[in-house]
Amino acid sequence: MLRIGEFSRLSHVTVKALRHYGEMGLLKPTWIDRFTGYRYYSLQQLPRLNRILALKELGFSLEEIAGVIQKDLSPEALAAMLDQKRTELFARLDAEQARLARVEARLRMMALEGGVPAYDVVVKHLPEQVVLSIRETVPTIEALPGRCAALRAELADWMTAHGVHEAGPWFTVNENEEFTEQNVQVEVAVVLHPEAARRARKTSGKIRLEHQPELPAVASVIHPGDQADLLQAYTALFAWVENNGYRITGACREVCLDDPSAEGGCRLTEVQCPIERVPSPPFYSIAQVRAKGAKMEPKIVTLPAMMIVGMRYYGKNEHQEIAAMWSTFNPRIPEIKHIDPTAAYGVCIMVEGAPEGEFEYIAGFPVRQIDELPSGMVVRQIPAGKYAVFPHRGSLAKMGETYQSIYQQWLPQYGLQPAGNLDFEYYGEDFKDFSEDSILYIYVLIKDA
C-alpha cells in the first residue's frame, strides 16, 4: 500500500487532485488509517487512474469521465475512444506535443491492465560521490524537458570554461515531495572525479559542488526508450519495493546512461531510489511465518454474513472516543436480545462520501435475530466473504502500528487485496484487556484470487 504522497509521485498526479477524485467517487483510497488519517492507495488502482487521466488529457470533463468509468468500457472500446481524440491532438500546435506524449504513456500503461511492467530490479550500493549540480524551479511540467536540456548545457559550458571533466553519468532529480504541474524543483548534476572536484571548488551562482553521502541500498531499474515511458519503470520499481519489504527513503535519480544531449534526449535511463527495510511488524516477520508451516499467518477464513448490534461512533477518534464508548457500552450488553456472547466485535466502516479521516465504528455483538433494538443502538451487517486474519498483541497504543503493518506490509507481500471498505476487530477468549499477553484478531475482507 502507498501513502497518498507516494502514490502522487508514482502516478504524477497531485495530492489535491487525488483528494478531489476521491470526493467525486472516481478514485477512492483503498484504506484510510483511522488512527492517523493517512490515505493509502494500491498499485492495482493505477489502471483506473490511467483511464481517468487519459480521458482528462483528451478534454473530457470529470463529470463526463465519471459516466465513462461507470460504464466500465472494455479496453478495446476505451482505446478506440482515445484513438479518435488522439487524432485530433495531432492537428494541434507544437505546444501540445508534450501533452500528447503523456497521453501515449498513459495508453501504454493502460495496456498492462493492472500488470507490472517487466523490469529487472536490483539493489546496489552507491559510494560517496562528488557532483557538480545546478538547480532551478521550472514554471510548468511542459517546460521541464527543455529547461533540463538548457541547464545541462549551462553546466557543460561552465565545466569547459574551468577545465573540469566528468567522471560519471549525468542525472536529474525531481525534488518535489509530490507530483506537481507547476513550480517544479529540479536538479541537473554530473559526477566528477575527486581531482576535477578540487579544480571546481570555486563555484558561483546556482552552480554548486556537493559531496553526496554514501547510500547503502538503492533499488535500480534500467529503462530503454522514451522518457515519456519512465512511468513504467517507476511502477515496476515501486511494486518491487512494496513486495519485498522495503520503503523508499528519499528522492529518486534518473541517470542517463548514454548521451543526454543527443537528438530525442536520453534513450537509456537508470532509475535509482534509496531504500531501507520496513521495520518488522509487531507480530511475526515474513520469514518467521513461512518457517512455521501449518501455523502460517495470516490465516484466510470464509465467513457467513453476520448481524452486529451495538453502539455507534462516527468521527476521527482524535481523543480516544472509541475507548470511552466501549466503557459506556459494556454495562448495556444485557439489553441485547438473541446475542452470541462468544466474542465482541469492533466493526470499522469507511463511509461513502465521508470527509477525509472520518469513519464509522460499531462496538457490538453478533445476534441471531432482531426483535427490537435497545435505545441508542444500531445494527450493521458484516458481509459474507473471505477474510485475512491478523493478530494484534499487547497494548491499545500499538494498535495503529498493527494496522499499518497489515495494510502496508502483510497484504501486499501476500498478494492480497482489500475487497471493500470494512474491517473488524474480534475480541475473543485470547483478549485480556490489552495486557502484555492480550491478543485480539483483525479481520480484513479481501478479494478472491
Side-chain angles (χ1 to χ4, degrees):
M1 305 286 286
L2 303 176
R3 287 190 179 185
I4 189 170
E6 294 172 330
F7 195 68
S8 165
R9 291 201 307 270
L10 171 62
S11 62
H12 287 193
V13 178
T14 64
V15 168
K16 181 179 179 180
L18 288 174
R19 294 187 193 279
H20 186 50
Y21 296 162
E23 292 169 359
M24 292 192 66
L26 286 171
L27 188 78
K28 287 188 167 293
T30 298
W31 177 60
I32 297 179
D33 186 340
R34 66 176 180 270
F35 292 90
T36 65
Y38 291 143
R39 301 160 74 95
Y40 291 89
Y41 292 79
S42 164
L43 286 171
Q44 279 67 31
Q45 293 179 281
L46 272 177
R48 183 181 179 95
L49 179 56
N50 285 328
R51 293 188 178 203
I52 293 168
L53 294 173
L55 291 167
K56 181 173 178 286
E57 292 282 6
L58 291 168
F60 289 90
S61 69
L62 291 181
E63 290 73 17
E64 292 171 332
I65 292 172
V68 171
I69 294 293
Q70 288 170 2
K71 291 178 182 177
D72 195 24
L73 296 178
S74 68
E76 294 79 12
L78 184 57
M81 181 185 300
L82 295 177
D83 282 338
Q84 181 180 354
K85 287 285 187 179
R86 184 173 60 185
T87 301
E88 299 172 9
L89 281 176
F90 277 111
R92 295 187 180 179
L93 300 174
D94 290 343
E96 294 292 324
Q97 291 302 313
R99 185 187 299 270
L100 178 61
R102 293 204 302 270
V103 171
E104 294 283 1
R106 295 292 180 185
L107 284 169
R108 284 188 282 272
M109 283 296 295
M110 285 168 54
L112 297 169
E113 282 301 311
V116 175
Y119 286 83
D120 291 326
V121 180
V122 298
V123 176
K124 60 197 297 185
H125 162 266
L126 288 186
E128 179 183 358
Q129 293 178 324
V130 181
V131 302
L132 196 66
S133 71
I134 186 170
R135 287 180 170 87
E136 184 172 291
T137 299
V138 181
T140 66
I141 193 72
E142 288 81 8
L144 189 59
R147 287 307 304 152
C148 283
L151 292 172
R152 192 161 45 244
E154 184 177 344
L155 203 56
D157 288 345
W158 188 95
M159 293 168 64
T160 300
H162 291 78
V164 175
H165 303 284
E166 67 228 43
W170 290 80
F171 63 90
T172 60
V173 181
N174 185 326
E175 299 184 324
N176 293 75
E177 292 185 0
E178 62 184 68
F179 176 73
T180 180
E181 296 177 339
Q182 297 180 331
N183 298 324
V184 183
Q185 300 176 50
V186 67
E187 176 188 16
V188 174
V190 62
V191 178
L192 299 184
H193 189 277
E195 180 63 32
R198 281 191 285 272
R199 291 199 300 273
R201 190 162 294 171
K202 294 182 179 180
T203 58
S204 61
K206 56 186 179 182
I207 295 176
R208 303 195 304 181
L209 185 70
E210 296 180 337
H211 287 262
Q212 296 195 340
E214 169 191 23
L215 294 175
V218 172
S220 166
V221 296
I222 305 296
H223 170 72
D226 292 341
Q227 293 289 294
D229 288 326
L230 267 177
L231 178 59
Q232 296 187 22
Y234 277 101
T235 299
L237 191 148
F238 272 67
W240 184 92
V241 166
E242 182 177 274
N243 292 333
N244 287 273
Y246 288 93
R247 63 186 173 197
I248 293 173
T249 58
C252 299
R253 289 180 174 185
E254 295 174 9
V255 182
C256 184
L257 300 181
D258 63 1
D259 183 0
S261 61
E263 184 177 354
C266 189
R267 302 290 297 178
L268 190 63
T269 306
E270 180 182 6
V271 179
Q272 301 174 345
C273 296
I275 57 173
E276 67 179 10
R277 281 285 185 185
V278 175
S280 297
F283 31 95
Y284 298 123
S285 69
I286 295 296
Q288 289 172 318
V289 166
R290 289 174 177 158
K292 288 180 176 291
K295 296 182 180 180
M296 184 174 180
E297 298 180 74
K299 181 170 64 174
I300 307 298
V301 299
T302 300
L303 299 181
M306 290 182 286
M307 289 189 297
I308 304 294
V309 170
M311 295 187 70
R312 174 184 185 268
Y313 166 78
Y314 179 82
K316 297 182 178 181
N317 195 38
E318 295 174 300
H319 304 290
Q320 301 300 315
E321 293 92 342
I322 290 176
M325 184 180 70
W326 274 104
S327 298
T328 302
F329 172 64
N330 286 331
R332 297 191 59 193
I333 293 173
E335 299 177 31
I336 303 175
K337 308 301 181 185
H338 310 294
I339 189 174
D340 177 359
T342 306
Y345 287 66
V347 183
C348 178
I349 302 170
M350 292 168 57
V351 180
E352 187 79 15
E356 181 180 345
E358 296 187 2
F359 61 94
E360 179 181 80
Y361 183 93
I362 309 299
F365 283 82
V367 296
R368 294 181 293 275
Q369 66 183 63
I370 298 175
D371 296 333
E372 61 179 347
L373 287 174
S375 174
M377 295 194 190
V378 299
V379 60
R380 293 291 184 269
Q381 180 163 296
I382 293 178
K386 286 188 177 181
Y387 289 79
V389 187
F390 303 86
H392 168 72
R393 294 174 168 85
S395 71
L396 174 62
K398 297 290 186 179
M399 183 100 76
E401 295 180 16
T402 300
Y403 271 97
Q404 290 183 11
S405 296
I406 289 171
Y407 281 92
Q408 294 185 56
Q409 181 177 5
W410 280 74
L411 291 175
Q413 288 188 13
Y414 278 99
L416 302 174
Q417 289 295 314
N421 59 350
L422 176 144
D423 55 54
F424 67 84
E425 300 150 5
Y426 177 93
Y427 297 87
E429 61 182 10
D430 294 331
F431 178 65
K432 301 174 183 177
D433 199 23
F434 295 107
S435 63
E436 185 176 342
D437 59 346
S438 175
I439 304 175
L440 63 88
Y441 296 89
I442 297 170
Y443 284 64
V444 179
L445 183 64
I446 59 173
K447 296 178 181 178
D448 284 331

